[in-house]
Amino acid sequence: MSHVLLLPYGTSGSTYPFIWLGRQLMAGGHRVTLVTAPRYESIARQAGLNFVATGGEELEQMLKAPSLWKLGIGLATAYTHGGRAAKDYVAAAEEAIAQYGPADLLMAPMICFGARVLREKLRIPLVTVHLYPMMIIKAHLPPVVIPPFLWLRRLPLLLRRLILWFPNPLDLFAYPAVRRCCAEHGVTPHSLWKKWWDSPDGVLTLFPDWFAPPQPDWPKNLLQWDFPLEDMAAERPMDEALARFLAEGEKPVLFTAGTGHFHAEAFFSTAAKLVRELGCRAVFITPKTDQVPRDLPAGVFVSAYAPFSRLLPRARAFVHHGGIGTTSQCLAAGLPQFVVPMSLDQPDNADRVKHLGVGLCISQGRFTVERALPLLRRCLEDEKLRESAGEHASRLHDRPSPDVLLDWLEKRMRSTHPSRIPAAHTRDHP
């Protein structure tokens, strides 16, 4: 039995996929410990995982920062706080090892820089987990990190490679704190962009190839998987009042700005006006319900949480921020989606939704009643769009066997590799 440490960093949409990974690993006979912010302890333990909380307040401070949800600036905010959190993750992971035993594998997103420090210090294999395509920034088909990347795609390949060779803002904002963490633990720091973006031990992507087709310059030691579609429905069932609301009338339109957005007053104000114009029923989903206007039209239900796998089949359309968890649940439900991307991975996810023909999108700055109303009406009335959403939902009905994923992960565990970590990138493509 091997011991795996999972080290997610971010909102529920960034944490639930790691809980899903933990479920798969436990089903395969492995011990799993989740190491992350204290806010996720209860749900992790309900899922049966060991848990060790990180110290510090970097995640909470990041989520409270209005700049997190501003295009471009949000990445700088995330990297800055992610860099500062590195020391907290190292300390918590070492506590997990002391409490639950030596670790045979680390799994973390790129932004959990503490995981890479641990790999170098303790020689524990690390698998970098990319939850969305935006994290694979390569020249062949650059993701839409920011809108100018749409122009980058039109340039010759050699010029794209040259532009992406230049320093990444990641080093500017996160590197100083990561360097201090490295110094405290006797680790030699390297460029986060050029050396530490992907682990040489393995890269796992949790999105299917029809959502993001693999490119020639992706890492060679990469396994592309499917959407986890983990929403903790068993541990957090639908509120009875919401269930009654859904049963009492026509299917509603759903609105959310994401579980981590604490500054979405403008989004919900526009949402309320759209509902009035349409005369439809609606559900507003936000953990901070004080963001919702008080003078809501009749037929609007406000919920702090809802399991999307249960809610979305009972809705007409979903207006949302474009987080990968919400986007994938819409795809699974065959539900037309209207994406209002704000920051981080959301613009790239929105671009993919549009090109798949399963939804429409508009930038946060253009999300006004006048501009959004005709697009939302299309989501509700366009049969071609609804048919396309249904066709893509069928792609998610046949899930790949987790045995392949477990076999790939087990080959990267320290207990199966007496020579510990290879010096260079492995070349064994799964």
Side-chain angles (χ1 to χ4, degrees), residues 130-193:
H130 293 321
L131 302 178
Y132 32 80
M134 192 273 284
M135 296 310 297
I136 307 183
I137 305 176
K138 301 294 183 182
H140 266 273
L141 187 62
V144 185
V145 179
I146 52 177
F149 270 59
L150 290 170
W151 291 97
L152 180 63
R153 291 178 176 177
R154 302 179 183 180
L155 298 177
L157 179 60
L158 288 177
L159 186 54
R160 277 179 263 156
R161 285 175 175 163
L162 177 62
I163 291 172
L164 292 177
W165 180 86
F166 284 101
N168 186 286
L170 172 64
D171 281 332
L172 176 65
F173 298 110
Y175 185 75
V178 176
R179 182 179 57 198
R180 290 192 295 271
C181 181
C182 287
E184 292 173 6
H185 294 277
V187 170
T188 301
H190 293 278
S191 164
L192 306 178
W193 166 235

Side-chain angles (χ1 to χ4, degrees), residues 201-218:
D201 308 319
V203 178
L204 174 65
T205 66
L206 294 181
F207 45 83
D209 56 9
W210 54 264
F211 187 74
Q215 301 300 311
D217 52 357
W218 282 18

Side-chain angles (χ1 to χ4, degrees), residues 375-393:
L375 296 179
L376 182 52
R377 281 197 170 117
R378 275 189 60 193
C379 287
L380 296 172
E381 299 169 2
D382 190 326
E383 285 302 319
K384 185 176 180 181
L385 190 151
R386 190 170 295 277
E387 287 174 7
S388 180
E391 290 171 2
H392 284 84

Side-chain angles (χ1 to χ4, degrees), residues 116 119 125-130 136 138 197-205 215-224 408-409 412 421-430:
R116 188 58 184 262
R119 176 193 184 268
L126 166 66
V127 168
T128 300
V129 181
H130 293 321
I136 307 183
K138 301 294 183 182
W197 193 275
D198 294 315
S199 170
D201 308 319
V203 178
L204 174 65
T205 66
Q215 301 300 311
D217 52 357
W218 282 18
K220 299 300 181 184
N221 59 340
L222 179 148
L223 176 66
Q224 186 166 17
W408 186 83
L409 291 173
R412 278 143 186 83
I421 300 171
H425 284 262
T426 57
R427 295 290 177 179
D428 57 318
H429 201 285

